[in-house]
Amino acid sequence: MASPSLLLPLGCIFGKSNASNHQRAHKISAGALASEPSLQVSNISDSRDECAVMNRRNMINVGVGLLGLLSGTTLAEAAGLPPEDKPKLCDGACEKELENVPMVTTESGLQYKDIKVGGGPSPPIGFQVAANYVAMVPSGQIFDSSLEKGQVYIFRVGSGQVIKGLDEGILSMKVGGKRRLYIPGPLAFPKGLASAPGRPRVAANSPVIFDVSLLFIPGLDDEEE
């Protein structure tokens, strides 16, 4: 069944001006056709009644349509529809491999699994790093991603420019490596993050997951050259 339209018929949107337009038109017609003045008056009344009925019907359709829009995401999720495909650092095959990768837990409570161990150097504290990341809530929904933005993320590691869990997790990585970080609430977002269209809300001090790939270390590469 076709979804109800959210557009009212153009001729009945502005009831008063529409009626006055009809009156002006019929006055002209009455002058030209003096033998049928009663017919013109009847047409005005019929037109008003018709518009009133159409407006009532379409207001109902508008309400139904708005309810459909507001509940669309919930209904789709309830029906088990697949989520929108978004670029990831770890695909389905990678997810299966991660099941057999041992979990490492640090003293701070940060946990991680290496998707791929890099062959380059680890970043010294205070150096800039260039990385890609995909940030998710525990359910797997993505709330931020450098891949979606199409820009490599560059920040100074160990200087508090990012959340504590990401800072700590990337310090022990090697260039060329890829890692999944399981970041506990105290090392994540103390104030949380508001939801946005297509993106879930991150509650304050709630755990998050980051997939990170360390691409290169600009300052270190410059020194080696």
Side-chain angles (χ1 to χ4, degrees):
M1 182 176 66
S3 59
S5 173
L6 296 181
L7 297 177
L8 294 175
L10 186 59
C12 297
I13 293 176
F14 304 102
K16 291 184 179 179
S17 62
N18 187 63
S20 58
N21 288 338
H22 273 291
Q23 288 175 351
R24 284 196 294 271
H26 287 300
K27 284 179 182 179
I28 295 173
S29 298
L33 301 172
S35 62
E36 296 180 352
S38 60
L39 177 62
Q40 305 304 324
V41 173
S42 175
N43 286 344
I44 295 172
S45 177
D46 291 343
S47 178
R48 287 177 178 173
D49 292 341
E50 182 181 353
C51 280
V53 172
M54 291 177 69
N55 280 332
R56 284 197 295 271
R57 288 176 179 173
N58 281 283
M59 286 303 294
I60 294 173
N61 286 344
V62 168
V64 173
L66 288 175
L67 286 174
L69 287 177
L70 292 174
S71 62
T73 301
T74 304
L75 291 175
E77 291 175 354
L81 297 178
E84 179 185 357
D85 287 336
K86 295 183 179 181
K88 298 179 179 180
L89 288 173
C90 186
D91 57 16
C94 166
E95 293 286 354
K96 291 182 179 180
E97 290 179 6
L98 271 182
E99 294 176 3
N100 300 318
V101 175
M103 181 81 77
V104 177
T105 304
T106 69
E107 292 183 3
S108 67
L110 174 70
Q111 294 182 311
Y112 66 83
K113 290 185 176 184
D114 279 316
I115 300 170
K116 175 186 176 183
V117 177
S122 294
I125 293 177
F127 274 65
Q128 286 188 329
V129 295
N132 271 319
Y133 69 90
V134 175
M136 301 167 280
V137 294
S139 66
Q141 287 182 287
I142 297 172
F143 65 85
D144 195 9
S145 169
S146 66
L147 299 181
E148 284 188 66
K149 297 171 183 175
Q151 294 181 340
V152 173
Y153 188 54
I154 298 178
F155 66 97
R156 198 170 297 280
V157 71
S159 61
Q161 291 184 352
V162 296
I163 59 173
K164 294 179 180 179
L166 180 56
D167 238 352
E168 179 185 345
I170 211 166
L171 274 170
S172 58
M173 290 181 68
K174 295 181 179 181
V175 172
K178 191 182 297 184
R179 176 177 287 183
R180 171 162 293 180
L181 302 172
Y182 301 86
I183 304 175
L187 303 180
F189 298 93
K191 297 181 180 180
L193 297 174
S195 62
R199 299 181 185 278
R201 171 178 172 269
V202 178
N205 291 311
S206 65
V208 293
I209 298 172
F210 271 69
D211 285 348
V212 185
S213 62
L214 180 56
L215 303 177
F216 58 94
I217 306 171
L220 196 60
D221 290 346
D222 293 342
E223 285 186 4
E224 290 179 351
E225 291 177 1

